[in-house]
C-alpha cells in the first residue's frame, strides 16, 4: 500500500492549535505499516474523553473543545483518521474500506494506546467508526455522546442532503476540503481556519480518503458494511451505560437522527438530551465550547463508580 505523509511544515502556526501529536503504527492490511497521529492532552489521571472526527476534517476540528475539557480535569484523546490530518494517507481509493478503518482505529486506540473507560464523543464518520468500536469492545467504554452522526445499515433511506453530497463527492477529482467544511457551518470561518482544514492535503494525491469516504456509507442493505453495522446495532440495543445525544439545530445531513438513538438505546432513556442552537453540521466549529460543557456535565453526573 503506497501512502503519503504530509510535511510537518504544513501544520505550523495554525490558529488556536498548539497541540503536538504522539504517533502509533498500525498494520495497513496489505503487508505494510501506517502511522496514526493522536493528540493526548490533559491530566494522566483524568477520565478519558475520546473525540472522533469525520469527513473531511481532522483533529483541528476539536480545538475549541479541548481547553474546556482539560480545564475540567479530563484527559482528551483525539486521533486523526488514516487519510486525514497528520496520519498517513494511502493514495488509492480502493485502499480505504469501512472495515479497514475500524481495524486501524482498534489497533491504534485499544491495542497500542490501551485506552479504557472511555467517554466517546463522535460526529459524522466519527460516529460511524466510533460506535462500531463501542459495539465490538463495549468493556472499553463508559459513556457515549453522539453529535450529528448515525450508524446506517442501508435498511432505511438516508437524507436527501446526504445523498446529494454523496453524488457530488463521487464526481470530485480534487476536493476543496476547507471550503466544504466552511459550507457545513452556521457561522463564517476565518480564512486562516479554512486554510487549516486544507493543511493536511498539499495536493490532490493526498485526498483519496476524503474523496472516497462518502461512498463508503452504507446506503443499501447489501452494502459491504451493512451486516457489521446491523450487528453493532444489536449491541447498542442492549447498551445501558450513559448514552447522550447532543445534535445541533441546523444540520440537514443528520437532522432527526438523535431521535433514533433516544428510542433504541436503553442507556439513552432518561438522559438530559440536548439540541445545540446555532450549530451546523460541523457543530464543533459553531458551538464547540457548549458541546464540550455538555460532555463535562455528563462525566460529572455519571461517575465511574456508577458505570
Amino acid at each position: 500500500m503506497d501512502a503519503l505523509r504530509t510535511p510537518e511544515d504544513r501544520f505550523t502556526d495554525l490558529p488556536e492549535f498548539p497541540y503536538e501529536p504522539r504517533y502509533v503504527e498500525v498494520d495497513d492490511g496489505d503487508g505494510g505499516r501506517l502511522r496514526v497521529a493522536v493528540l493526548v492532552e490533559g491530566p494522566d489521571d483524568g477520565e478519558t474523553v475520546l473525540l472522533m472526527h469525520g469527513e473531511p476534517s481532522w483533529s483541528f476540528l476539536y480545538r475549541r473543545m479541548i481547553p474546556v475539557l482539560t480545564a475540567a480535569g479530563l484527559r482528551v484523546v483525539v486521533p486523526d483518521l488514516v487519510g486525514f490530518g497528520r496520519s498517513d494517507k494511502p493514495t488509492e481509493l480502493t485502499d480505504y474500506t469501512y472495515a479497514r478503518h475500524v481495524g486501524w482505529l482498534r489497533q491504534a486506540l485499544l491495542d497500542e494506546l490501551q485506552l479504557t473507560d472511555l467517554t466517546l464523543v463522535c460526529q459524522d464518520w466519527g460516529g460511524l467508526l466510533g460506535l462500531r468500536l463501542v459495539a465490538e469492545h463495549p468493556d472499553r467504554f463508559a459513556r457515549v455522546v453522539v453529535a450529528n452522526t448515525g450508524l446506517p445499515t442501508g435498511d432505511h433511506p438516508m437524507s436527501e442532503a446526504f445523498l446529494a453530497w454523496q453524488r457530488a463527492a463521487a464526481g470530485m477529482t480534487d476536493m476543496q476540503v476547507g471550503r466544504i467544511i466552511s459550507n457545513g457551518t452556521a457561522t463564517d470561518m476565518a480564512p486562516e481556519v479554512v486554510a487549516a482544514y486544507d493543511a493536511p492535503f498539499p495536493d490532490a494525491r493526498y485526498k483519496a480518503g476524503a474523496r472516497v469516504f462518502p461512498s463508503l456509507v452504507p446506503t443499501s442493505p447489501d452494502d459491504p458494511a451493512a451486516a457489521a453495522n446491523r450487528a453493532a446495532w444489536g449491541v447498542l440495543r442492549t447498551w445501558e451505560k450513559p448514552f447522550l445525544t447532543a445534535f445541533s439545530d441546523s444540520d440537514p445531513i443528520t437532522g432527526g437522527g438523535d431521535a433514533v438513538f433516544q428510542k433504541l438505546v436503553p442507556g439513552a432513556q432518561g438522559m438530559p438530551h440536548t439540541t445545540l442552537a446555532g450549530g451546523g453540521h460541523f457543530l464543533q466549529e459553531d458551538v464547540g465550547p457548549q458541546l464540550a460543557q455538555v460532555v463535562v456535565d455528563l462525566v460529572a453526573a455519571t461517575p465511574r463508580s456508577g458505570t
Side-chain angles (χ1 to χ4, degrees):
M1 186 180 293
D2 293 327
L4 297 171
R5 183 169 295 172
T6 303
E8 279 299 313
D9 61 10
R10 297 279 297 184
F11 301 104
T12 58
D13 299 323
L14 299 182
E16 302 177 90
F17 198 72
Y19 309 110
E20 292 295 330
R22 59 181 72 176
Y23 294 100
V24 297
E25 287 196 348
V26 300
D27 292 328
D28 65 6
D30 196 29
R33 305 284 285 174
L34 292 169
R35 192 176 77 165
V36 177
V38 187
L39 300 182
V40 181
E41 299 291 332
D44 289 340
D45 61 349
E47 294 217 38
T48 303
V49 178
L50 174 62
L51 305 176
M52 294 283 298
H53 77 82
E55 153 79 1
S57 59
W58 61 292
S59 55
F60 179 79
L61 180 69
Y62 283 102
R63 74 194 181 284
R64 301 181 65 211
M65 295 180 60
I66 294 171
V68 177
L69 297 168
T70 56
L74 300 175
R75 179 178 181 237
V76 180
V77 176
V78 199
D80 287 335
L81 299 179
V82 170
F84 299 83
R86 288 178 165 115
S87 292
D88 285 348
K89 299 169 182 67
T91 57
E92 299 300 320
L93 299 180
T94 52
D95 292 336
Y96 297 88
T97 70
Y98 199 141
R100 273 182 169 173
H101 267 287
V102 174
W104 290 331
L105 284 169
R106 176 189 51 75
Q107 289 183 63
L109 301 174
L110 305 187
D111 297 345
E112 294 297 324
L113 295 179
Q114 291 288 307
L115 299 178
T116 60
D117 205 32
L118 292 165
T119 298
L120 172 67
V121 180
C122 55
Q123 179 261 346
D124 192 85
W125 262 95
L128 275 73
L129 297 171
L131 292 173
R132 282 278 298 274
L133 290 180
V134 169
E136 294 169 19
H137 307 276
D139 58 312
R140 296 292 192 102
F141 291 86
R143 308 171 192 83
V144 175
V145 179
V146 291
N148 293 358
T149 190
L151 187 62
T153 63
D155 298 316
H156 306 284
M158 301 289 287
S159 69
E160 182 52 43
F162 171 76
L163 294 175
W165 157 241
Q166 189 180 57
R167 291 190 297 268
M172 295 179 184
T173 56
D174 187 6
M175 181 177 284
Q176 302 302 307
V177 170
R179 181 178 177 182
I180 287 167
I181 293 173
S182 179
N183 289 341
T185 61
T187 51
D188 292 334
M189 279 173 26
E192 60 269 24
V193 173
V194 175
Y197 283 111
D198 286 324
F201 310 106
D203 60 50
R205 296 174 301 153
Y206 293 75
K207 300 178 184 179
R211 287 175 54 204
V212 77
F213 247 36
S215 69
L216 300 181
V217 176
T219 55
S220 63
D222 59 351
D223 185 275
N229 281 15
R230 288 188 199 104
W233 267 112
V235 175
L236 292 178
R237 285 188 174 94
T238 69
W239 177 269
E240 296 184 348
K241 299 175 188 178
F243 193 105
L244 187 70
T245 64
F247 280 46
S248 67
D249 65 347
S250 302
D251 180 19
I253 302 290
T254 65
D258 49 350
V260 177
F261 291 114
Q262 292 170 21
K263 177 182 179 182
L264 297 179
V265 181
Q269 305 309 307
M271 295 296 291
H273 303 295
T274 187
T275 300
L276 295 168
H281 180 62
F282 298 100
L283 75 169
Q284 300 96 322
E285 277 292 332
D286 298 316
V287 291
Q290 295 94 312
L291 177 58
Q293 190 60 50
V294 168
V295 178
V296 170
D297 293 345
L298 174 67
V299 174
T302 55
R304 274 184 278 204
S305 60
T307 61

